[in-house]
């Protein structure tokens, strides 16, 4: 399987009357074929406070046009609260060359 990225976009669970949106790309693929996963990380801000997050996707879940990955975790505790999140990457996959992969995020 070629190196590829998955886009993700979903909301966290509401806590203290607000929620956070996670938006980004799960990249840095590790594994091969049907046995691979992606690392992801980011920052989510709302109303003058920030939560960091990072994690590893689940293994691929086959779909009609390719595959998706499950993402689940908790945003970093900040401002005396934390938010749980659960969602899936988008099915559409962006394939990139290994040279582009090496420079991703720089």
């Amino acid at each position: 399987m070629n190196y590829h990225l998955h886009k993700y976009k979903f909301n966290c669970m509401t806590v203290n009357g607000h929620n956070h949106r996670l938006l980004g790309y799960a990249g840095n693929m590790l594994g091969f074929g049907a046995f691979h996963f992606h690392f992801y990380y980011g920052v989510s801000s709302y109303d003058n406070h920030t939560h960091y997050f990072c994690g590893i996707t689940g293994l691929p879940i086959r779909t009609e046009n390719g595959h998706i990955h499950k993402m689940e975790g908790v945003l970093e505790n900040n401002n005396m609260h934390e938010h749980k999140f659960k969602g899936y990457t988008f099915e559409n996959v962006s394939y990139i060359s290994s040279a582009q992969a090496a420079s991703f995020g720089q």
Side-chain angles (χ1 to χ4, degrees), residues 11-103:
N11 289 325
C12 297
M13 298 184 77
T14 301
V15 176
N16 291 349
H18 73 277
N19 66 13
H20 290 260
R21 174 170 286 173
L22 299 186
L23 171 66
Y25 288 91
N28 301 324
M29 186 177 111
L30 185 61
F32 54 91
F35 185 77
H36 75 277
F37 50 88
H38 300 266
F39 296 95
Y40 60 90
Y41 57 91
V43 179
S44 183
S45 297
Y46 176 86
D47 195 26
N48 295 323
H49 75 276
T50 300
H51 298 275
Y52 293 90
F53 64 93
C54 64
I56 302 171
T57 67
L59 293 172
I61 301 168
R62 289 175 84 50
T63 61
E64 187 176 327
N65 298 312
H67 68 276
I68 60 175
H69 294 269
K70 184 176 183 177
M71 297 173 62
E72 186 172 19
V74 178
L75 297 182
E76 171 199 43
N77 189 320
N78 191 0
N79 209 18
M80 307 277 295
H81 71 281
E82 61 188 21
H83 299 265
K84 293 181 181 178
F85 64 88
K86 186 187 325 186
Y88 294 89
T89 63
F90 285 100
E91 181 178 58
N92 55 339
V93 176
S94 300
Y95 291 97
I96 62 175
S97 71
S98 57
Q100 288 174 307
S103 65

